[in-house]
Amino acid sequence: MSDTGEHLPASPAGDVPGAEVPERVLADLPEFGPASYAPAPEGTDLVHIAEDYGLFIGGEMVPARSDRAAPTVNPATGETLATFAVGGAEDVDRAVLAAREAYESHWRDTPGSVRARYLYRVARLLQERSREFAVLETLDGGKPIKESRDVDLPLAAAHFFHHAGWADKLDYAFAGAEAHPVGVVGQVIPWNFPLLMAAWKLAPALAAGNTVVLKPAETTPLTALLLTEVLRDADLPPGVVNIVTGDGTTGAATVAHPGVDKVAFTGSTTVGKEIQRTLAGTGRRLTLELGGKAANIIFEDAALDQVTEGIVGGIYFNQGQVCCAGSRLLVQESVADAVISKLRRRMDTLLVGDPLDKNTDIGAINSAVQLRKITELVESGVRQGAELYQPSCALPERGWFFPPTLFCDVSPSHRIAREEIFGPVLSVLTFRTADEAVEKANNTPYGLSAGIWTEKGSRILWMAERMQAGVVWANTFNRFDPASPFGGYRESGFGREGGRQGLLPYLHLQGAQL
Amino acid sequence: MSTAGGGLGVPKTYKMYVGGAFVRSESGRTYPARSAGGDLLAHAVAGSRKDVRDAVRVARGAQAAWAARTAYNRGQILYRVAEVMDSRRAELIRELARATTGSEATADPAGEVDVAIERWVWYAGWCDKYPQVLGGANPVAGPYFNFTVPEPMGVVGIASPDEAPLLGIVSRLAPALVPGNTAVVLAGERHPLVAVTLAEILATSDVPGGVVNVLTGRRAPLVRALAGHGDVDCVDLSGCDPADHDDADVAAEAERLAAETVTRVVHATVGERHWLEAAAQSPYAISAFCEYKTVWHPKGR
């Protein structure tokens, strides 16, 4: 989603190999001293964070019966922002009961046009308070403010706005079938796009007429908790959305609860498999949006300056903590040197640091745990013989940071080419023919996304057809939209989010007639 | 009446159908298929886990070419299945009646055969239409052309139900074939023979070898082998009756095994289990055997 270049001006002539700038021009330029950077931090005074938070059940903030709580930390400083409740089995049970009560007493019979009104209100309220949400998102999760401000928040609002319009049009969405809600939905979301994932989950579920128990991620509960204010301001009836914060045990209790008719999970493939096992034989529905190891494939005829921006956006967006990140770069051999040299120069200009700074490109890694995982995998890359490149940027002294990282001479058997790193780490492999590119791209158990860069239209369509991936970006990368279905093939999960196809998991289709 | 052969008939040996050939089990085992009255109808092959693995390998090998055929071509082939089935209508009715009369299965063999023929015709016509109905262009907020197409999942394993030994298979197999999946079909355990006759029909209907493979045998071990196979993309457990305790256990175990490689699990819905009715067929049954792929490309000069 960060700019991939097709709308950016081409790089200055000086970037093109062999294009020398005449000395006379240089002589005319004034002398500059060494560049000094003036920080441009976004203000945080518009955000109010409470000392501690309860659970949102039945329309009210209530204390957790579990008596458990945990701190949520600003990953850029290590400072505790607030304490939140860690819901236990009894709390999940209460939330499911509240959702069931709301579903059966009125929500399932609420006309689509009325459900639409609530969702439109939520979209508008989110737009109105978007800067406040963006700052809180950056404080709690460590992502650069320019991303939470320009990507997460606009998209979250757009998801509610888009799905609001579906609520009263479901009869037109699936020809020949009557669409009914499924019931109570349990949703467990990750920490990389905390509010956006809440929007991806809540909007289609509510539009389809379900009620929800949502479990935010352990390290990023704050924007979901702020969202409860929006839901209340929108007059959404109590119990339609319940938010139970907590850790892995809270999530496990949510997906295992027998009162939940459908589970939607976004997170790691390991946990996704565990959930699929948990639900086996229960007859309850499941969709999974899991990990990825996307190939970003560069053909020799591609526009290399745009490619460079696309690669950077593909892997360094949100510090690479993106399930669909373009973490395997497949470059055609003939342009590999040129691409790598452009990429290194571009990496040298990336600003790593304070996520609240409006110019920061790469913010903080979400948690100490995640930083350890990234560090461990990068060490394995070095140990297994790949060639490491990192720009010489100073990292902040406090907080959890990792520099943008590039590995060349990567073999397909290296761990960094096979395992999802979920960090700002790019592995470069090369290919000679399109067939070889297809084979290497699909040589992974994952299948979430793929990138194709070439100026040849027929090759784009030929390649796109052969990618075992749910989303294919051609001459762009990391684009998202509520009208565009998102989700994986293979071990990247099943089910789609967004668009008409994204409604299917939340509906029971009945009585398809001849 | 001819007295050739002393009037003795020539009973058919019912084998399994794998890779376009009729084969016995590598295990050498069989089990008796009996009528409701207890008469021996034939010794059906008791397929083994190894047979499942062989069939999956063959189905995988046939998948890309089947999916690469044009939708028009796949439609004609599925229509051809209906044609050949219709030509053997009397035989199918007789065979179904002999196997099921007096049992809980099909009360109306002629009705089952006729609906099965009609179901092939119906799904044949979907081959070049379902992408327009299920996919489409997406109006994203930016200068991009964005479209979503349904694609085949790959290799689908189908556990067929006992209560409609012919129509149950057709109702699940046809929608799986429409988008270009290949299939390993486990015949219903109680009435397996008609599935072998269906395989003979497929073998003479221009369906390429390996696209449909039909195994017979005990449901539980074969379903386990299919669900736990890493190269099976989707298992359809419609043959495990949720109301039957043993079946439900088999289905639960199969679903746990499927989780090892995030294999998709599908079931016929309650409505779809009314096999003789129109509700048993829909484009959403095709959708259940599809992946959705979304492609983005910038617009510009």
Side-chain angles (χ1 to χ4, degrees):
Chain A
M1 248 167 325
S2 62
D3 276 308
T4 51
E6 56 266 17
H7 305 304
L8 295 179
S11 298
D15 272 9
V16 178
E20 299 276 325
V21 180
E23 284 211 13
R24 184 176 47 79
V25 176
L26 290 177
D28 289 345
L29 289 171
E31 289 282 323
F32 291 109
S36 66
Y37 180 71
E42 178 71 50
T44 59
D45 54 316
L46 76 174
V47 173
H48 170 74
I49 303 176
E51 265 182 44
D52 52 76
Y53 289 89
L55 308 172
F56 185 66
I57 297 175
E60 290 175 58
M61 295 302 297
V62 297
R65 292 197 183 151
S66 67
D67 273 336
R68 291 174 60 209
T72 182
V73 171
N74 179 346
T77 63
E79 287 164 2
T80 295
L81 294 165
T83 301
F84 65 95
V86 177
E90 199 186 338
D91 298 302
V92 169
D93 196 45
R94 263 197 308 167
V96 172
L97 280 178
R100 174 64 58 191
E101 158 71 14
Y103 178 71
E104 290 182 357
S105 66
H106 59 89
W107 188 250
R108 69 175 168 192
D109 301 317
T110 301
S113 58
V114 176
R115 295 200 308 272
R117 292 287 178 98
Y118 289 120
L119 291 173
Y120 280 125
R121 285 183 181 191
V122 171
R124 287 308 220 193
L125 286 162
L126 267 182
Q127 288 174 331
E128 282 170 16
R129 297 178 68 176
S130 73
R131 186 59 56 89
E132 179 186 355
F133 271 95
V135 171
L136 184 61
E137 196 75 298
T138 285
L139 283 169
D140 202 19
K143 64 171 61 197
I145 185 69
K146 74 174 176 192
E147 290 180 10
S148 45
R149 182 194 64 203
D150 298 345
V151 179
D152 293 61
L153 259 296
L155 270 176
H159 264 269
F160 281 106
F161 198 91
H162 175 84
H163 286 90
W166 272 125
D168 56 357
K169 296 168 191 69
L170 297 173
D171 288 343
Y172 302 94
F174 302 101
E178 268 181 47
H180 300 281
V182 174
V184 174
V185 177
Q187 305 179 321
V188 178
I189 56 172
W191 44 258
N192 55 346
F193 298 91
L195 182 74
L196 182 57
M197 288 301 104
W200 278 30
K201 292 281 180 290
L202 292 174
L206 300 180
N210 303 283
T211 57
V212 176
V213 175
L214 176 80
K215 207 293 275 184
E218 186 179 354
T219 60
T220 54
L222 294 184
T223 45
L225 288 165
L226 185 59
L227 183 66
T228 63
E229 289 184 16
V230 166
L231 300 177
R232 279 191 286 192
D233 289 346
D235 292 324
L236 189 74
V240 171
V241 172
N242 305 274
I243 298 180
V244 181
T245 53
D247 57 16
T249 62
T250 317
T254 305
V255 302
H257 197 290
V260 167
D261 300 302
K262 185 244 176 322
V263 170
F265 171 75
T266 296
S268 74
T269 292
T270 312
V271 175
K273 288 179 178 179
E274 191 56 45
I275 293 173
Q276 194 178 354
R277 272 191 291 271
T278 302
L279 290 191
T282 63
R284 293 152 57 205
R285 292 219 210 169
L286 174 64
T287 46
L288 298 171
E289 203 271 85
L290 309 176
K293 193 71 190 175
N296 204 359
I297 306 167
I298 318 297
F299 284 94
E300 61 187 0
D301 68 328
L304 293 191
D305 289 323
Q306 291 181 12
V307 162
T308 308
E309 293 305 314
I311 296 169
V312 167
I315 186 61
Y316 301 128
F317 173 59
N318 200 24
Q319 298 72 247
Q321 301 168 131
V322 183
C323 46
C324 53
S327 56
R328 286 184 301 150
L329 188 69
L330 297 184
V331 194
Q332 198 154 21
E333 238 175 52
S334 48
V335 290
D337 289 345
V339 167
I340 289 164
S341 112
K342 279 175 183 288
L343 186 57
R344 284 184 172 210
R345 256 181 297 168
R346 181 67 179 88
M347 286 170 69
D348 291 345
T349 67
L350 293 172
L351 293 175
V352 186
D354 180 8
L356 281 169
D357 192 304
K358 287 171 238 178
N359 294 317
T360 291
D361 297 302
I362 297 183
I365 301 300
N366 186 263
S367 67
V369 173
Q370 189 55 30
L371 182 60
R372 268 199 301 279
K373 185 186 160 198
I374 296 167
T375 308
E376 195 266 320
L377 272 159
V378 166
E379 284 167 1
S380 88
V382 173
R383 240 186 355 260
Q384 293 190 311
E387 184 198 327
L388 174 93
Y389 178 74
Q390 291 172 328
S392 55
C393 55
L395 299 183
E397 285 170 12
R398 294 193 306 166
W400 305 307
F401 290 88
F402 200 87
T405 300
L406 174 70
F407 274 114
C408 296
D409 290 334
V410 177
S411 120
S413 62
H414 287 166
R415 284 182 65 200
I416 52 170
R418 298 159 53 87
E419 295 179 31
E420 184 177 43
I421 299 173
F422 228 62
V425 183
L426 180 64
S427 300
V428 183
L429 298 99
T430 58
F431 67 91
R432 288 186 181 174
T433 64
D435 284 315
E436 189 189 347
V438 169
E439 196 180 310
K440 283 188 166 163
N442 289 337
N443 182 17
T444 164
Y446 295 112
L448 191 50
S449 63
I452 303 162
W453 298 80
T454 170
E455 292 298 291
K456 190 176 172 191
S458 57
R459 181 151 56 202
I460 289 171
L461 296 175
W462 188 90
M463 288 291 294
E465 198 170 71
R466 279 158 186 76
M467 290 297 102
Q468 288 288 310
V471 183
V472 178
W473 288 292
N475 292 327
T476 184
F477 207 92
N478 270 348
R479 298 281 159 186
F480 307 91
D481 193 279
S484 177
F486 183 92
Y489 281 38
R490 299 172 164 182
E491 293 193 21
S492 289
F494 43 76
R496 295 291 178 268
E497 295 179 292
R500 189 163 51 102
Q501 292 79 6
L503 293 169
L504 269 172
Y506 291 105
L507 290 170
H508 172 57
L509 298 183
Q510 215 171 35
Q513 292 302 321
L514 276 176
Chain B
M1 173 87 55
S2 160
T3 56
L8 282 175
V10 184
K12 183 159 79 184
T13 303
Y14 286 86
K15 296 196 268 189
M16 304 193 297
Y17 180 58
V18 176
F22 287 87
V23 298
R24 293 190 169 86
S25 172
E26 60 80 36
S27 71
R29 298 185 185 214
T30 60
Y31 74 110
R34 296 185 189 278
S35 70
D39 296 336
L40 178 70
L41 299 171
H43 291 281
V45 175
S48 68
R49 285 173 297 178
K50 172 76 161 63
D51 293 322
V52 169
R53 290 198 295 273
D54 289 345
V56 170
R57 199 182 58 246
V58 164
R60 172 62 63 196
Q63 199 269 323
W66 176 239
R69 285 177 182 249
T70 64
Y72 179 39
N73 186 239
R74 278 202 308 279
Q76 287 181 90
I77 291 173
L78 297 197
Y79 184 78
R80 175 81 178 148
V81 176
E83 287 177 352
V84 176
M85 198 180 229
D86 195 62
S87 75
R88 294 175 69 164
R89 178 176 178 275
E91 174 199 353
L92 285 166
I93 294 171
R94 205 165 50 241
E95 190 171 28
L96 260 185
R98 202 160 67 102
T100 61
T101 301
S103 77
E104 293 158 10
T106 321
D108 174 14
E112 177 167 345
V113 173
D114 286 342
V115 173
I117 293 167
E118 169 57 20
R119 200 141 286 165
W120 283 112
V121 173
W122 198 76
Y123 277 112
W126 270 113
C127 288
D128 55 2
K129 296 164 194 71
Y130 78 95
Q132 288 182 322
V133 171
L134 299 178
N138 306 311
V140 295
Y144 297 92
F145 178 50
N146 175 301
F147 61 94
T148 298
V149 285
E151 290 196 339
M153 285 176 166
V155 174
V156 174
I158 298 174
S160 318
D162 282 320
E163 73 267 18
L166 177 66
L167 183 57
I169 297 180
V170 173
S171 300
R172 304 307 294 171
L173 175 61
L177 294 179
V178 166
N181 295 296
T182 53
V184 175
V185 176
L186 308 182
E189 179 177 329
R190 258 174 282 169
H191 310 293
L193 304 183
V194 72
V196 179
T197 305
L198 173 64
E200 292 171 7
I201 288 165
L202 296 167
T204 50
S205 303
D206 304 331
V207 179
V211 168
V212 181
N213 306 276
V214 179
L215 305 181
T216 55
R218 300 296 179 197
R219 177 174 292 130
L222 297 184
V223 168
R224 271 199 295 269
L226 258 186
H229 196 298
D231 208 23
V232 170
D233 298 294
C234 172
V235 280
D236 179 340
L237 300 178
S238 301
C240 299
D241 181 356
D244 178 298
H245 194 71
D246 291 341
D247 268 10
D249 283 350
V250 172
E253 197 190 344
E255 289 187 34
R256 272 190 295 275
L257 290 165
E260 294 304 317
T261 51
V262 199
T263 300
R264 286 86 174 112
V265 178
V266 301
H267 299 264
T269 63
V270 174
E272 286 167 349
R273 294 185 77 89
H274 296 126
W275 305 110
L276 286 161
E277 293 171 24
Q281 62 189 33
S282 87
Y284 311 110
I286 303 172
S287 173
F289 295 110
C290 286
E291 296 287 350
Y292 286 95
K293 179 182 282 176
T294 298
V295 182
W296 294 67
H297 195 278
K299 296 175 188 171
R301 279 166 293 197

